[in-house]
Amino acid sequence: MNTHDALTLAAGINLGVLMSFAVVLVGNMSDDRRDQRTAEAQLQRALKRHATADWRDVLATRERV
């Protein structure tokens, strides 16, 4: 194995490591974004339930009066 072959092998290994790192990074970003969307959806559902409960309280109060 000459110097050129060794450098080519090292460059290939480095490129493989970088590509693996990029795949993991993109995967983690996708997971984080999915978790964020899930949290936002849960917040919207909670706000909707809270608003519905407020309206039920208002209607119950009006019926008592």
Side-chain angles (χ1 to χ4, degrees), residues 38-63:
T38 302
E40 289 172 355
Q42 289 174 343
L43 176 61
Q44 289 301 319
R45 285 193 299 272
L47 291 174
K48 185 176 180 181
R49 279 194 305 270
H50 183 68
T52 303
D54 287 347
W55 276 107
R56 286 182 185 150
D57 290 344
V58 169
L59 292 175
T61 303
R62 289 178 71 188
E63 290 174 1

mmCIF file of all heavy atoms in Angstrom, residues 38-63:
data_model
loop_
_atom_site.group_PDB
_atom_site.id
_atom_site.type_symbol
_atom_site.label_atom_id
_atom_site.label_comp_id
_atom_site.label_asym_id
_atom_site.label_seq_id
_atom_site.Cartn_x
_atom_site.Cartn_y
_atom_site.Cartn_z
ATOM 1 N N THR A 38 -45.814 17.612 18.791
ATOM 2 C CA THR A 38 -46.675 16.886 19.730
ATOM 3 C C THR A 38 -46.995 17.757 20.937
ATOM 4 O O THR A 38 -48.151 17.818 21.378
ATOM 5 C CB THR A 38 -45.987 15.582 20.180
ATOM 6 O OG1 THR A 38 -45.714 14.789 19.025
ATOM 7 C CG2 THR A 38 -46.848 14.803 21.134
ATOM 8 N N ALA A 39 -45.997 18.434 21.462
ATOM 9 C CA ALA A 39 -46.212 19.311 22.621
ATOM 10 C C ALA A 39 -47.146 20.463 22.265
ATOM 11 O O ALA A 39 -48.025 20.839 23.056
ATOM 12 C CB ALA A 39 -44.879 19.843 23.130
ATOM 13 N N GLU A 40 -46.982 21.035 21.075
ATOM 14 C CA GLU A 40 -47.867 22.119 20.648
ATOM 15 C C GLU A 40 -49.306 21.627 20.502
ATOM 16 O O GLU A 40 -50.251 22.323 20.889
ATOM 17 C CB GLU A 40 -47.372 22.714 19.332
ATOM 18 C CG GLU A 40 -46.102 23.515 19.464
ATOM 19 C CD GLU A 40 -45.510 23.928 18.134
ATOM 20 O OE1 GLU A 40 -46.037 23.513 17.079
ATOM 21 O OE2 GLU A 40 -44.516 24.665 18.145
ATOM 22 N N ALA A 41 -49.486 20.428 19.962
ATOM 23 C CA ALA A 41 -50.833 19.871 19.807
ATOM 24 C C ALA A 41 -51.464 19.615 21.173
ATOM 25 O O ALA A 41 -52.652 19.893 21.373
ATOM 26 C CB ALA A 41 -50.783 18.584 18.991
ATOM 27 N N GLN A 42 -50.672 19.106 22.121
ATOM 28 C CA GLN A 42 -51.191 18.882 23.470
ATOM 29 C C GLN A 42 -51.586 20.194 24.131
ATOM 30 O O GLN A 42 -52.614 20.268 24.814
ATOM 31 C CB GLN A 42 -50.155 18.156 24.316
ATOM 32 C CG GLN A 42 -49.956 16.717 23.925
ATOM 33 C CD GLN A 42 -48.818 16.064 24.689
ATOM 34 O OE1 GLN A 42 -47.975 16.742 25.282
ATOM 35 N NE2 GLN A 42 -48.773 14.742 24.652
ATOM 36 N N LEU A 43 -50.796 21.235 23.915
ATOM 37 C CA LEU A 43 -51.119 22.542 24.470
ATOM 38 C C LEU A 43 -52.421 23.064 23.877
ATOM 39 O O LEU A 43 -53.275 23.584 24.599
ATOM 40 C CB LEU A 43 -49.981 23.530 24.206
ATOM 41 C CG LEU A 43 -50.229 24.965 24.656
ATOM 42 C CD1 LEU A 43 -50.447 25.030 26.157
ATOM 43 C CD2 LEU A 43 -49.075 25.853 24.247
ATOM 44 N N GLN A 44 -52.591 22.931 22.569
ATOM 45 C CA GLN A 44 -53.821 23.397 21.925
ATOM 46 C C GLN A 44 -55.039 22.645 22.459
ATOM 47 O O GLN A 44 -56.086 23.238 22.696
ATOM 48 C CB GLN A 44 -53.721 23.246 20.406
ATOM 49 C CG GLN A 44 -52.763 24.225 19.766
ATOM 50 C CD GLN A 44 -53.144 25.669 20.043
ATOM 51 O OE1 GLN A 44 -54.309 26.043 20.022
ATOM 52 N NE2 GLN A 44 -52.149 26.483 20.340
ATOM 53 N N ARG A 45 -54.900 21.325 22.656
ATOM 54 C CA ARG A 45 -56.013 20.551 23.210
ATOM 55 C C ARG A 45 -56.333 21.001 24.630
ATOM 56 O O ARG A 45 -57.503 21.118 25.012
ATOM 57 C CB ARG A 45 -55.693 19.054 23.172
ATOM 58 C CG ARG A 45 -55.794 18.453 21.790
ATOM 59 C CD ARG A 45 -55.791 16.938 21.823
ATOM 60 N NE ARG A 45 -54.584 16.377 22.399
ATOM 61 C CZ ARG A 45 -53.473 16.085 21.736
ATOM 62 N NH1 ARG A 45 -53.418 16.307 20.434
ATOM 63 N NH2 ARG A 45 -52.430 15.574 22.350
ATOM 64 N N ALA A 46 -55.288 21.273 25.422
ATOM 65 C CA ALA A 46 -55.504 21.724 26.797
ATOM 66 C C ALA A 46 -56.187 23.093 26.810
ATOM 67 O O ALA A 46 -57.096 23.330 27.607
ATOM 68 C CB ALA A 46 -54.179 21.778 27.546
ATOM 69 N N LEU A 47 -55.753 23.982 25.920
ATOM 70 C CA LEU A 47 -56.386 25.304 25.848
ATOM 71 C C LEU A 47 -57.841 25.190 25.422
ATOM 72 O O LEU A 47 -58.713 25.904 25.938
ATOM 73 C CB LEU A 47 -55.610 26.200 24.884
ATOM 74 C CG LEU A 47 -54.214 26.635 25.358
ATOM 75 C CD1 LEU A 47 -53.491 27.391 24.250
ATOM 76 C CD2 LEU A 47 -54.314 27.480 26.610
ATOM 77 N N LYS A 48 -58.118 24.296 24.499
ATOM 78 C CA LYS A 48 -59.499 24.098 24.037
ATOM 79 C C LYS A 48 -60.365 23.553 25.175
ATOM 80 O O LYS A 48 -61.492 24.010 25.376
ATOM 81 C CB LYS A 48 -59.507 23.144 22.851
ATOM 82 C CG LYS A 48 -60.860 22.980 22.230
ATOM 83 C CD LYS A 48 -60.783 22.097 20.996
ATOM 84 C CE LYS A 48 -62.152 21.927 20.368
ATOM 85 N NZ LYS A 48 -62.090 21.058 19.194
ATOM 86 N N ARG A 49 -59.824 22.579 25.923
ATOM 87 C CA ARG A 49 -60.566 22.030 27.068
ATOM 88 C C ARG A 49 -60.816 23.119 28.111
ATOM 89 O O ARG A 49 -61.913 23.205 28.687
ATOM 90 C CB ARG A 49 -59.802 20.872 27.703
ATOM 91 C CG ARG A 49 -59.961 19.557 26.992
ATOM 92 C CD ARG A 49 -59.470 18.393 27.838
ATOM 93 N NE ARG A 49 -58.090 18.551 28.294
ATOM 94 C CZ ARG A 49 -57.023 18.132 27.641
ATOM 95 N NH1 ARG A 49 -57.144 17.540 26.489
ATOM 96 N NH2 ARG A 49 -55.816 18.311 28.146
ATOM 97 N N HIS A 50 -59.807 23.951 28.336
ATOM 98 C CA HIS A 50 -59.955 25.022 29.322
ATOM 99 C C HIS A 50 -61.015 26.017 28.870
ATOM 100 O O HIS A 50 -61.863 26.434 29.667
ATOM 101 C CB HIS A 50 -58.609 25.718 29.529
ATOM 102 C CG HIS A 50 -58.646 26.788 30.565
ATOM 103 N ND1 HIS A 50 -58.835 26.523 31.898
ATOM 104 C CD2 HIS A 50 -58.528 28.140 30.465
ATOM 105 C CE1 HIS A 50 -58.837 27.660 32.569
ATOM 106 N NE2 HIS A 50 -58.651 28.647 31.728
ATOM 107 N N ALA A 51 -60.982 26.392 27.600
ATOM 108 C CA ALA A 51 -61.974 27.333 27.080
ATOM 109 C C ALA A 51 -63.368 26.729 27.149
ATOM 110 O O ALA A 51 -64.340 27.420 27.490
ATOM 111 C CB ALA A 51 -61.620 27.710 25.646
ATOM 112 N N THR A 52 -63.486 25.449 26.842
ATOM 113 C CA THR A 52 -64.785 24.782 26.916
ATOM 114 C C THR A 52 -65.286 24.767 28.351
ATOM 115 O O THR A 52 -66.466 25.020 28.610
ATOM 116 C CB THR A 52 -64.677 23.338 26.376
ATOM 117 O OG1 THR A 52 -64.187 23.405 25.044
ATOM 118 C CG2 THR A 52 -66.003 22.636 26.398
ATOM 119 N N ALA A 53 -64.390 24.498 29.290
ATOM 120 C CA ALA A 53 -64.774 24.491 30.700
ATOM 121 C C ALA A 53 -65.217 25.880 31.140
ATOM 122 O O ALA A 53 -66.188 26.021 31.896
ATOM 123 C CB ALA A 53 -63.618 23.999 31.563
ATOM 124 N N ASP A 54 -64.543 26.930 30.657
ATOM 125 C CA ASP A 54 -64.939 28.297 31.008
ATOM 126 C C ASP A 54 -66.344 28.588 30.497
ATOM 127 O O ASP A 54 -67.160 29.177 31.202
ATOM 128 C CB ASP A 54 -63.952 29.312 30.417
ATOM 129 C CG ASP A 54 -62.623 29.323 31.155
ATOM 130 O OD1 ASP A 54 -62.546 28.736 32.254
ATOM 131 O OD2 ASP A 54 -61.664 29.910 30.629
ATOM 132 N N TRP A 55 -66.633 28.189 29.257
ATOM 133 C CA TRP A 55 -67.962 28.437 28.714
ATOM 134 C C TRP A 55 -69.016 27.641 29.463
ATOM 135 O O TRP A 55 -70.125 28.125 29.693
ATOM 136 C CB TRP A 55 -68.009 28.101 27.218
ATOM 137 C CG TRP A 55 -67.527 29.243 26.397
ATOM 138 C CD1 TRP A 55 -66.357 29.351 25.735
ATOM 139 C CD2 TRP A 55 -68.211 30.477 26.199
ATOM 140 N NE1 TRP A 55 -66.255 30.569 25.126
ATOM 141 C CE2 TRP A 55 -67.391 31.282 25.387
ATOM 142 C CE3 TRP A 55 -69.436 30.990 26.631
ATOM 143 C CZ2 TRP A 55 -67.759 32.563 25.002
ATOM 144 C CZ3 TRP A 55 -69.795 32.263 26.244
ATOM 145 C CH2 TRP A 55 -68.958 33.041 25.431
ATOM 146 N N ARG A 56 -68.684 26.434 29.873
ATOM 147 C CA ARG A 56 -69.642 25.643 30.662
ATOM 148 C C ARG A 56 -69.930 26.339 31.984
ATOM 149 O O ARG A 56 -71.076 26.369 32.438
ATOM 150 C CB ARG A 56 -69.096 24.245 30.905
ATOM 151 C CG ARG A 56 -69.140 23.376 29.676
ATOM 152 C CD ARG A 56 -68.644 21.986 29.973
ATOM 153 N NE ARG A 56 -68.591 21.213 28.741
ATOM 154 C CZ ARG A 56 -67.743 20.243 28.507
ATOM 155 N NH1 ARG A 56 -66.855 19.903 29.426
ATOM 156 N NH2 ARG A 56 -67.761 19.593 27.371
ATOM 157 N N ASP A 57 -68.895 26.907 32.606
ATOM 158 C CA ASP A 57 -69.099 27.643 33.860
ATOM 159 C C ASP A 57 -69.984 28.865 33.634
ATOM 160 O O ASP A 57 -70.871 29.160 34.436
ATOM 161 C CB ASP A 57 -67.761 28.081 34.450
ATOM 162 C CG ASP A 57 -66.943 26.904 34.975
ATOM 163 O OD1 ASP A 57 -67.521 25.816 35.158
ATOM 164 O OD2 ASP A 57 -65.726 27.095 35.182
ATOM 165 N N VAL A 58 -69.747 29.577 32.545
ATOM 166 C CA VAL A 58 -70.557 30.763 32.240
ATOM 167 C C VAL A 58 -72.006 30.365 32.016
ATOM 168 O O VAL A 58 -72.933 30.998 32.539
ATOM 169 C CB VAL A 58 -69.982 31.500 31.001
ATOM 170 C CG1 VAL A 58 -70.956 32.560 30.499
ATOM 171 C CG2 VAL A 58 -68.634 32.113 31.335
ATOM 172 N N LEU A 59 -72.232 29.327 31.234
ATOM 173 C CA LEU A 59 -73.597 28.881 30.972
ATOM 174 C C LEU A 59 -74.284 28.387 32.254
ATOM 175 O O LEU A 59 -75.463 28.659 32.489
ATOM 176 C CB LEU A 59 -73.618 27.787 29.909
ATOM 177 C CG LEU A 59 -73.217 28.243 28.505
ATOM 178 C CD1 LEU A 59 -73.146 27.041 27.570
ATOM 179 C CD2 LEU A 59 -74.185 29.285 27.979
ATOM 180 N N ALA A 60 -73.540 27.678 33.071
ATOM 181 C CA ALA A 60 -74.117 27.194 34.339
ATOM 182 C C ALA A 60 -74.481 28.364 35.231
ATOM 183 O O ALA A 60 -75.534 28.350 35.894
ATOM 184 C CB ALA A 60 -73.129 26.273 35.028
ATOM 185 N N THR A 61 -73.659 29.394 35.253
ATOM 186 C CA THR A 61 -73.934 30.582 36.054
ATOM 187 C C THR A 61 -75.180 31.293 35.531
ATOM 188 O O THR A 61 -76.030 31.735 36.307
ATOM 189 C CB THR A 61 -72.728 31.534 36.042
ATOM 190 O OG1 THR A 61 -71.589 30.821 36.510
ATOM 191 C CG2 THR A 61 -72.966 32.742 36.908
ATOM 192 N N ARG A 62 -75.284 31.401 34.206
ATOM 193 C CA ARG A 62 -76.455 32.074 33.621
ATOM 194 C C ARG A 62 -77.730 31.294 33.914
ATOM 195 O O ARG A 62 -78.788 31.889 34.126
ATOM 196 C CB ARG A 62 -76.273 32.210 32.111
ATOM 197 C CG ARG A 62 -75.216 33.221 31.745
ATOM 198 C CD ARG A 62 -75.017 33.299 30.276
ATOM 199 N NE ARG A 62 -76.161 33.926 29.641
ATOM 200 C CZ ARG A 62 -76.338 34.001 28.329
ATOM 201 N NH1 ARG A 62 -75.449 33.450 27.514
ATOM 202 N NH2 ARG A 62 -77.393 34.587 27.828
ATOM 203 N N GLU A 63 -77.644 29.976 33.938
ATOM 204 C CA GLU A 63 -78.838 29.174 34.215
ATOM 205 C C GLU A 63 -79.275 29.310 35.660
ATOM 206 O O GLU A 63 -80.463 29.203 35.975
ATOM 207 C CB GLU A 63 -78.561 27.714 33.877
ATOM 208 C CG GLU A 63 -78.436 27.455 32.381
ATOM 209 C CD GLU A 63 -78.027 26.032 32.068
ATOM 210 O OE1 GLU A 63 -77.853 25.238 33.016
ATOM 211 O OE2 GLU A 63 -77.879 25.728 30.874
#
